[in-house]
Amino acid sequence: MQTGNPDITAERRAHPTILRGLVVLEKVVQARRPVSATELIEELELPKPTVNRILQQLEDQGLLQREPVNRRYLPGARTRQIALGVMSNTALGAPRHAILKALSEEIGETCNCALLDGDHTVYCDRVEANWQFRIQLPIGTQLPLLCTASGKLFLAYMESRQRQRLLGAAPNKRFTDRTITDIEQISTELKRIEKEGIGVDNEEFMAGMAAVAVPVLTPANSICFTVAVHAPAVRKPLAALRQYVPALRQAAAAMAATYCDAEEA
């Protein structure tokens, strides 16, 4: 004799598996470096076959990916797209957008927020300044790390191993005659950025465009995302944009209180 609602019974059976999968995914996403299956098994105290099965399923669905050599786990392309979708969601992002809009109006230039996405950054929010001469880089635009203000910030705050892996992955592309491609010069620049907490782009990505960025930090001093202002250099060269660093930091602190303070230190 069958008792109870079979749909409810099936749902109860399904939830633990779903939640375990989310916990595994969460641990990989929160890690500051690629993690192994052994580390996840030890931390989560779940049976080895269960963790391995979940990892395989997450990898099959594009939610996780593995390093080619050490075979450790990283967030996959699908997870990064979900993260971007969450950060770009108009309802969830309303407070951030309001802060960004107020910042843009105060500065009088285009302001944006960017996330790290693999070996580049991607805009997750943006407010255009009301100028006839402006540079169009809409939400979702992917930008390189080494020659952009936000990209340099992400590199500067990375663990050394991860940073070296990215820097050594491919030859450093020269976008303009001001792009820094020498590894020693890049290292010096990143040390300065880590010390000052200010990323700059002095026409290094696009000729005629300057930018300044600051990090939105968690209590653990890792970057949630960045806040930046950019403008045509003929109107606002880098030296002129630097005067807005206090306003950028104030906006970043307001965003951190809204989006990052709930994270564990």
Side-chain angles (χ1 to χ4, degrees):
M1 179 178 177
Q2 186 175 10
T3 61
N5 187 323
D7 292 335
I8 293 177
T9 303
E11 184 180 9
R12 287 174 178 168
R13 287 200 303 267
H15 275 176
T17 301
I18 293 172
L19 292 176
R20 285 197 294 266
L22 289 174
V23 168
V24 171
L25 181 61
E26 181 182 40
K27 290 297 181 183
V28 176
V29 169
Q30 290 178 344
R32 294 191 178 187
R33 57 176 177 77
V35 295
S36 68
T38 301
E39 290 171 322
L40 291 168
I41 291 166
E42 292 175 354
E43 183 173 356
L44 297 173
E45 297 182 350
L46 290 172
K48 180 178 179 179
T50 299
V51 174
N52 286 335
R53 182 176 65 253
I54 291 171
L55 288 170
Q56 185 61 59
Q57 291 170 343
L58 292 173
E59 185 179 2
D60 289 344
Q61 294 300 316
L63 294 164
L64 292 180
Q65 66 184 56
R66 304 182 76 174
E67 289 184 303
V69 178
N70 296 324
R71 308 298 289 166
R72 292 171 177 263
Y73 289 91
L74 293 161
R78 190 173 176 184
T79 297
R80 297 195 297 271
Q81 287 300 315
I82 291 171
L84 177 59
V86 171
M87 290 299 296
S88 303
N89 183 279
T90 54
L92 293 174
R96 180 193 61 233
H97 191 77
I99 296 167
L100 198 63
K101 183 177 180 182
L103 176 67
S104 178
E105 290 174 351
E106 177 184 352
I107 292 176
E109 296 293 347
T110 297
C111 295
N112 65 72
C113 292
L115 292 167
L116 179 65
D117 184 12
D119 60 352
H120 54 260
T121 65
V122 59
Y123 284 161
C124 61
D125 207 343
R126 181 177 171 84
V127 175
E128 289 275 1
N130 190 25
W131 289 96
Q132 184 175 2
F133 179 30
R134 56 192 180 187
I135 299 164
Q136 298 287 345
L137 293 169
I139 292 174
T141 298
Q142 295 180 340
L143 301 175
L145 294 177
L146 278 173
C147 56
T148 58
S150 291
K152 291 179 188 177
L153 272 174
F154 283 114
L155 284 169
Y157 278 81
M158 279 180 191
E159 289 187 346
S160 177
R161 181 181 173 186
Q162 183 182 4
R163 179 169 57 246
Q164 293 305 317
R165 184 168 57 246
L166 281 174
L167 291 178
N172 299 321
K173 181 179 177 180
R174 183 177 295 278
F175 289 85
T176 74
D177 59 2
R178 295 193 178 189
T179 303
I180 302 172
T181 57
D182 180 76
I183 290 294
E184 289 187 7
Q185 287 183 297
I186 290 169
S187 297
T188 300
E189 173 79 348
L190 294 179
K191 288 178 182 177
R192 179 198 63 76
I193 290 171
E194 185 179 16
K195 182 178 179 180
E196 295 184 358
I198 305 168
V200 299
D201 169 7
N202 190 18
E203 301 186 59
E204 298 162 52
F205 170 58
M206 187 180 297
M209 185 183 80
V212 174
V214 301
V216 178
L217 297 171
T218 70
N221 206 42
S222 61
I223 300 182
C224 286
F225 50 96
T226 62
V227 182
V229 56
H230 69 71
V234 293
R235 186 168 67 235
K236 294 275 178 67
L238 181 59
L241 289 181
R242 274 184 169 273
Q243 68 180 308
Y244 301 120
V245 167
L248 287 166
R249 283 180 168 157
Q250 185 176 5
M255 292 182 187
T258 303
Y259 292 96
C260 304
D261 279 357
E263 298 190 12
E264 294 182 1

